[in-house]
Amino acid sequence: MKKARSFLFTLLLAALTIRVLWLAIEPLIPYVVSALAIVMVLGFVYYRMTRW
């Protein structure tokens, strides 16, 4: 019984940690996607300009 209780407590703690991380990261998703798009466009332009 003690092993099952500790497993459930660990599972609950992991779920809580994942939830808190998601609440912290979720508002940043649009900024990350925008930054990736800008980096890809700049990389494409740089690649086209420096290609032989």
Side-chain angles (χ1 to χ4, degrees), residues 17-51:
T17 304
I18 290 169
R19 177 74 175 147
V20 168
L21 282 173
W22 176 249
L23 288 175
I25 292 171
E26 192 226 352
L28 300 175
I29 290 175
Y31 300 111
V32 171
V33 170
S34 302
L36 280 174
I38 291 170
V39 166
M40 285 178 63
V41 167
L42 291 176
F44 180 75
V45 169
Y46 178 75
Y47 172 73
R48 289 300 225 170
M49 288 176 61
T50 59
R51 209 174 97 191

Side-chain angles (χ1 to χ4, degrees), residues 1-10:
M1 185 68 187
K2 188 175 181 181
K3 198 176 245 187
R5 189 180 303 146
S6 71
F7 176 73
L8 287 174
F9 179 72
T10 305

